[in-house]
Amino acid sequence: MVRSEEVQRKLFFRGRHITESTIQDLLETRGLSAATDIVMSGCSSGGANIIAHLDYLRTLLPASARVVGFADSGFYLDVEDSDAPKRFLVAAIGQNGTHMLNQRCLENYTGAEQKCLMGVIAAGYLATPLYLWQSRYDSNQEYECWNNRQCFLDYGKNITFWINATVLSKPSNGAFIDSCTRHCPSGMPFGDRSGKNVMDAFAQWYSGGERFDGQLNDDYPCKNCCT
């Protein structure tokens, strides 16, 4: 008799194959092949993966379609608390999840491929248009500051700087930066100085209008920024 703890088991990760099979099914049986406009979206880790995988996903979709990404709460700075968990995702003995990452990024970060999962780095390599919805005071990144108000203020300035330097430095991209203490739609922003909410702002950008909206003059914590 072999005790269960002595049985060797292998765990397989098939994220790329699941992604490709899902899109293939949508193309062949759900009418996606006839789509003219496609918005690839995600929140939290889904938002991070939109930023990291958007160009690869674009190659799986109809060439004639207009494809953009919409990433919510997925723009993470390159700090140790974000970096460490991602090492397993790209390690050969982990999930080995590098195939869908930007190849130019991988070439520049050989041996540190997890960097290409960081929004602050991956966004700089994107060719497919991206619209970013991000809080300056993302509650999922509060581990950097906890209850330190000045730290949060500084973090907000830092993340705003990098969104401008990476996402908004490309004319095809847009962003809505709010001052809610939120992660994903856990607190919807009331709107920017013009009264637009994030969906209004996204629709305007998609139609060729303003590229940037948000709440940049609000303090932390902002009690009047969100519903």
Side-chain angles (χ1 to χ4, degrees):
M1 179 180 293
V2 179
R3 293 182 300 176
S4 61
E5 61 265 27
E6 295 175 345
V7 176
Q8 291 187 353
R9 293 183 173 86
K10 292 183 178 180
L11 183 62
F12 295 93
F13 297 97
R14 292 290 184 261
R16 175 170 66 92
H17 299 289
I18 292 170
T19 299
E20 292 174 346
S21 296
T22 299
I23 291 180
Q24 183 178 0
D25 179 66
L26 292 171
L27 290 168
E28 294 178 356
T29 69
R30 310 291 177 174
L32 185 62
S33 60
T36 58
D37 295 77
I38 301 173
V39 179
M40 304 294 289
S41 65
C43 184
S44 191
S45 59
N49 285 333
I50 287 296
I51 300 172
H53 296 155
L54 185 57
D55 281 345
Y56 183 80
L57 295 172
R58 179 66 185 91
T59 68
L60 305 178
L61 298 168
S64 59
R66 179 185 180 186
V67 178
V68 303
F70 183 101
D72 174 18
S73 305
F75 192 88
Y76 286 82
L77 298 182
D78 183 15
V79 296
E80 178 62 21
D81 284 327
S82 295
D83 183 281
K86 292 178 172 57
R87 294 171 195 161
F88 175 78
L89 303 183
V90 299
I93 59 172
Q95 293 186 0
N96 196 26
T98 58
H99 187 86
M100 291 168 54
L101 297 177
N102 185 283
Q103 293 303 304
R104 290 190 299 117
C105 183
L106 292 174
E107 291 170 4
N108 289 336
Y109 287 94
T110 301
E113 290 83 0
Q114 74 277 4
K115 301 293 186 185
C116 298
L117 286 164
M118 302 286 188
V120 67
I121 292 173
Y125 291 91
L126 274 180
T128 307
L130 173 72
Y131 194 87
L132 183 72
W133 178 18
Q134 181 66 45
S135 170
R136 295 194 296 155
Y137 309 126
D138 191 334
S139 57
N140 192 243
Q141 300 188 49
E142 66 183 358
Y143 46 72
E144 286 297 309
C145 296
W146 293 106
N147 293 319
N148 187 327
R149 179 176 176 276
Q150 186 58 51
C151 177
F152 252 122
L153 291 171
D154 293 340
Y155 198 85
K157 292 177 181 178
N158 197 20
I159 202 168
T160 302
F161 170 84
W162 283 110
I163 289 172
N164 277 285
T166 57
V167 177
L168 292 174
S169 64
K170 297 184 178 181
S172 61
N173 294 340
F176 188 102
I177 306 175
D178 65 72
S179 296
C180 303
T181 305
R182 68 166 187 91
H183 185 70
C184 294
S186 56
M188 292 291 288
F190 282 127
D192 74 336
R193 58 194 177 277
S194 67
K196 289 181 291 185
N197 61 38
V198 64
M199 290 294 99
D200 294 330
F202 171 74
Q204 187 175 48
W205 167 78
Y206 194 79
S207 300
E210 291 289 332
R211 297 177 53 232
F212 172 75
D213 290 282
Q215 305 166 327
L216 291 183
N217 298 315
D218 299 287
D219 206 349
Y220 173 82
C222 182
K223 298 180 180 180
N224 299 315
C225 289
C226 306
T227 56

